[in-house]
Amino acid sequence: MQFYTEYLWFSTKKQRDFINITSQVDSALHKSGIQDGMILVSAMHITAGVYVNDAEDGLIQDIEEWLEKLAPYRKDYRHHRTGESNGDAHLKNLLIGHEVIVPVTQGKMDFGPWQQIYYAEFDGQRRKRVLVKVMGE
Ligand code: ZN
């Protein structure tokens, strides 16, 4: 079993953003040379997420609206007693999840036709990163 690790850095201009990272993960897979195995893609933060879904603009807006409905930006979260203001970002992270696993077969990401990997930023405008770990043979 071989392992290859890479870190993707982000510093979004907006507080919230959705970034398609499929090609960056694919490039890590090619650098690894691994033919069969899996890739762990994991946000190294508690206020950002990683998910797999369609790269369709309308859907991305729907996801953002859905997250805002379930975990709205508010001033009165108990978490804000610590002096922070990102309570909603922590809840959004729990809804989206912080990591995904991508299967690798014959040197390629073994995805269905519409599956794309997204980094979802909920508390941006600072440097944050995603771990990409390719495992296999
Ligand atoms: Zn916080």
Side-chain angles (χ1 to χ4, degrees), residues 46-47 79 82 84-87 90:
I46 49 185
T47 55
H79 178 54
T82 63
E84 291 202 52
S85 59
N86 60 2
H90 288 274

Side-chain angles (χ1 to χ4, degrees), residues 43 48-51 91-100 120 122:
V50 173
Y51 70 89
L91 299 181
K92 287 171 173 118
N93 155 277
L94 290 173
L95 290 169
I96 285 290
H98 76 278
E99 66 184 4
V100 297
F122 305 124

Side-chain angles (χ1 to χ4, degrees), residues 6 11 17 20 33-34 44 46-47 49 62-63 69 75 80 85-86 88 95 99 116 118 122 124 129 135:
E6 206 172 290
S11 187
D17 211 351
N20 189 334
I34 288 168
M44 297 172 72
I46 49 185
T47 55
D62 290 336
I63 293 170
K69 204 174 280 176
K75 290 207 153 94
H80 296 173
S85 59
N86 60 2
D88 70 306
L95 290 169
E99 66 184 4
Q116 300 277 307
Y118 272 82
F122 305 124
R129 62 188 172 152
M135 301 166 269

Side-chain angles (χ1 to χ4, degrees), residues 69-130:
K69 204 174 280 176
L70 293 175
Y73 177 80
R74 283 190 347 226
K75 290 207 153 94
D76 61 346
Y77 285 112
R78 279 177 277 272
H79 178 54
H80 296 173
R81 292 176 194 160
T82 63
E84 291 202 52
S85 59
N86 60 2
D88 70 306
H90 288 274
L91 299 181
K92 287 171 173 118
N93 155 277
L94 290 173
L95 290 169
I96 285 290
H98 76 278
E99 66 184 4
V100 297
I101 290 178
V102 181
V104 174
T105 306
Q106 293 180 337
K108 286 186 180 158
M109 295 197 286
D110 209 345
F111 265 163
W114 303 106
Q115 288 183 296
Q116 300 277 307
I117 312 161
Y118 272 82
Y119 172 67
E121 178 61 81
F122 305 124
D123 186 18
Q125 297 169 318
R126 56 199 168 100
R127 270 167 72 73
K128 291 170 85 164
R129 62 188 172 152
V130 169

Side-chain angles (χ1 to χ4, degrees), residues 5 10 15 17 28 41 47 52 64 102 120 132:
T5 305
F10 301 93
Q15 189 76 3
D17 211 351
V41 186
T47 55
V52 171
E64 196 167 7
V102 181
V132 179

